[in-house]
Amino acid sequence: MKPLLPVDEAIKRLLEAAAPVTDSETLPLADCDGRVLATDLAARLTQPPFDASAMDGYALRSADAPEIGSVLTVIGQAAAGHAFTGTVGKGEAVRIFTGAPVPEGTDTILIQEDAEALEDGSNIRTGFAVAAGRHIRPRGQDFTEDETALDAGRELGFTDLTLAAAMNHAALSVYRRPRIAILATGDELLPPGSAPQPAQIIASNTFGIAALARQAGAEVIDLGIIADDDSLIRAAIGKAVAAGVDVLVTLGGASVGDHDLVQAALKAEGMQLDFWRIAMRPGKPLMVGAIGSMQVLGLPGNPVASLVCGLLFLEPLIRRIARRAPLERGTTARTATPLKANDHRQDYLRARFSTDENGVLVAEAHAKQDSSMMKILAHSDGLIVRPPHAPEAAPGAICPVIRLKF
């Protein structure tokens, strides 16, 4: 039997075989959060479209207020959306508000705190030495028409969507989401809400894997729970192929025991097996292959192993296909408890995180690490990574960790 494949090598091979999506769709701007821009985005207008006041105050000619105490006559008002249409002459000023167009003939803004309104109501006295260009946002200061302000391949966040809207785009061309199908197998499995009989359990993996896939940017198709029947499993695989999904994720049955039918069914449907059996704990029976352009990722049936493998393999796979940057989950921490020497499999220990008085991250491994215990994973902040053959580590030792939460 071939030796177990190292985790890093398995991830590398999986991602190298992944082809990023090339087809795009046009969506309303409100639906583009987290999507990846498929084309360069150029501004459809100039922003600001005119010289605009950056403050509330008075627009005037700097030459008319050479010193503090200069008196000017207020001849009108300009507000956002309501321009002053006249021309400002010598010794005149216009009451102006933030965002309003700067009136013709003026070259500076005296902010209202530095202006004294005189008793006659039509004049002001300056309380500050003005300078040309002060508190004026020049036309095109932000961007100009036809300027490319967002490049293709950019993952769109809240600032990008605000910029796109300001550039007068109501819809954007974005790459489509990867399509993921999830297939759970096992005679013992029942959906949540059922009344299990002896020897039956509730299927839980699908919900966590589906959530992880959606968070990574995928659309998810749930193929349901399929009994341990070769023809039924092959039919479900056929549905995934017919749906044109990018990745088929199977849950359980990927080993080669008498009741593990998934790998054989996949091969019968044309899967080219790349590798399976990884040097990791939990998650050794993970399987990777492809049916045509559809990648196949076989995750263990054990819920904890399934989610750990999903985090390590499925999340980066989806993000690569979706053209999204990988999440940087890895960091280091000091272990709060002693860690035993490790064997030849890379170990992932569920742990709680905290910070010490110096702000250093501290990881405390749970006392129990049985991979059947989902509650421990749900109450963990991350995973302590124990590389193959890692020596015993004393409390306070630095160790690599993976964050489950941000």
Side-chain angles (χ1 to χ4, degrees), residues 304 348-352 364-377 380:
V304 172
Y348 295 89
L349 306 177
R350 285 155 284 175
R352 288 182 290 262
E364 180 182 2
H366 290 277
K368 295 181 179 180
Q369 291 289 330
D370 190 291
S371 63
S372 68
M373 301 177 71
M374 187 61 220
K375 183 175 70 174
I376 292 176
L377 182 59
S380 295

Side-chain angles (χ1 to χ4, degrees), residues 281-283 302-308 311 335 337 339 347-353 362-386 400-402 404:
R281 182 189 302 107
N302 180 289
V304 172
S306 183
L307 293 186
V308 170
L311 191 74
T335 177
T337 56
L339 301 174
D347 216 347
Y348 295 89
L349 306 177
R350 285 155 284 175
R352 288 182 290 262
F353 290 172
V362 176
E364 180 182 2
H366 290 277
K368 295 181 179 180
Q369 291 289 330
D370 190 291
S371 63
S372 68
M373 301 177 71
M374 187 61 220
K375 183 175 70 174
I376 292 176
L377 182 59
H379 289 275
S380 295
D381 301 299
L383 305 169
I384 298 174
V385 183
R386 299 289 286 151
V401 298
I402 295 173
L404 294 177

Side-chain angles (χ1 to χ4, degrees), residues 204-213 251 280 282-283 299-315 371 374 377-378 383 404:
S204 58
N205 304 24
T206 298
F207 300 93
I209 293 299
L212 183 65
L251 304 177
M280 62 183 293
L299 301 181
N302 180 289
V304 172
S306 183
L307 293 186
V308 170
C309 287
L311 191 74
L312 296 175
F313 292 88
L314 181 60
E315 180 182 78
S371 63
M374 187 61 220
L377 182 59
L383 305 169
L404 294 177

Side-chain angles (χ1 to χ4, degrees), residues 69-375:
S70 299
V71 176
L72 300 101
T73 300
V74 179
I75 62 171
Q77 177 175 291
H82 301 279
F84 176 79
T85 57
T87 300
V88 180
K90 181 177 175 58
E92 297 176 336
V94 170
R95 180 74 166 107
I96 196 166
F97 298 91
T98 304
V102 175
E104 185 178 348
T106 66
D107 64 2
T108 190
I109 305 296
L110 176 71
I111 64 174
Q112 62 186 23
E113 296 94 322
D114 295 329
E116 177 189 357
L118 301 183
E119 291 181 2
D120 61 14
S122 61
N123 293 286
I124 59 167
R125 178 182 291 117
T126 64
F128 189 86
V130 300
R134 193 169 182 84
H135 303 307
I136 292 177
R137 295 177 178 138
R139 181 179 186 273
Q141 175 178 266
D142 197 356
F143 51 81
T144 57
E145 187 174 0
D146 296 327
E147 176 187 346
T148 297
L150 293 171
D151 296 328
R154 187 180 184 91
E155 186 175 331
L156 298 168
F158 67 97
T159 58
D160 305 305
L161 297 180
T162 304
L163 175 57
M167 293 195 296
N168 204 25
H169 289 275
L172 302 179
S173 176
V174 295
Y175 288 108
R176 70 163 176 85
R177 294 186 186 275
R179 291 184 289 269
I180 311 299
I182 301 177
L183 169 62
T185 62
D187 288 343
E188 75 280 14
L189 300 179
L190 291 174
S194 302
Q197 300 299 312
Q200 291 182 314
I201 60 173
I202 299 300
S204 58
N205 304 24
T206 298
F207 300 93
I209 293 299
L212 183 65
R214 292 189 185 100
Q215 290 169 13
E219 294 178 359
V220 176
I221 299 172
D222 183 2
L223 297 174
I225 300 171
I226 306 300
D228 290 323
D229 180 287
D230 179 71
S231 62
L232 295 177
I233 296 172
R234 291 185 60 177
I237 296 168
K239 289 181 180 179
V241 173
V245 302
D246 299 286
V247 182
L248 170 61
V249 179
T250 63
L251 304 177
S255 191
V256 290
D258 291 344
H259 297 280
D260 296 315
L261 307 178
V262 173
Q263 187 176 139
L266 287 164
K267 288 181 176 178
E269 290 298 312
M271 182 187 74
Q272 298 297 311
L273 179 66
D274 185 357
F275 60 85
W276 74 292
R277 302 181 72 247
I278 313 301
M280 62 183 293
R281 182 189 302 107
K284 183 178 77 170
L286 180 134
M287 173 186 63
V288 169
I291 299 176
S293 62
M294 181 181 75
Q295 287 196 272
V296 177
L297 181 62
L299 301 181
N302 180 289
V304 172
S306 183
L307 293 186
V308 170
C309 287
L311 191 74
L312 296 175
F313 292 88
L314 181 60
E315 180 182 78
L317 174 62
I318 292 173
R319 294 187 72 90
R320 177 170 172 78
I321 295 172
R323 296 176 176 264
R324 302 179 75 188
L327 286 180
E328 298 297 333
R329 291 186 178 273
T331 185
T332 58
R334 294 189 183 277
T335 177
T337 56
L339 301 174
K340 297 185 298 183
N342 196 22
D343 61 13
H344 64 291
R345 292 163 63 184
Q346 187 149 295
D347 216 347
Y348 295 89
L349 306 177
R350 285 155 284 175
R352 288 182 290 262
F353 290 172
S354 61
T355 52
D356 65 15
E357 63 277 6
N358 297 314
V360 176
L361 189 66
V362 176
E364 180 182 2
H366 290 277
K368 295 181 179 180
Q369 291 289 330
D370 190 291
S371 63
S372 68
M373 301 177 71
M374 187 61 220
K375 183 175 70 174

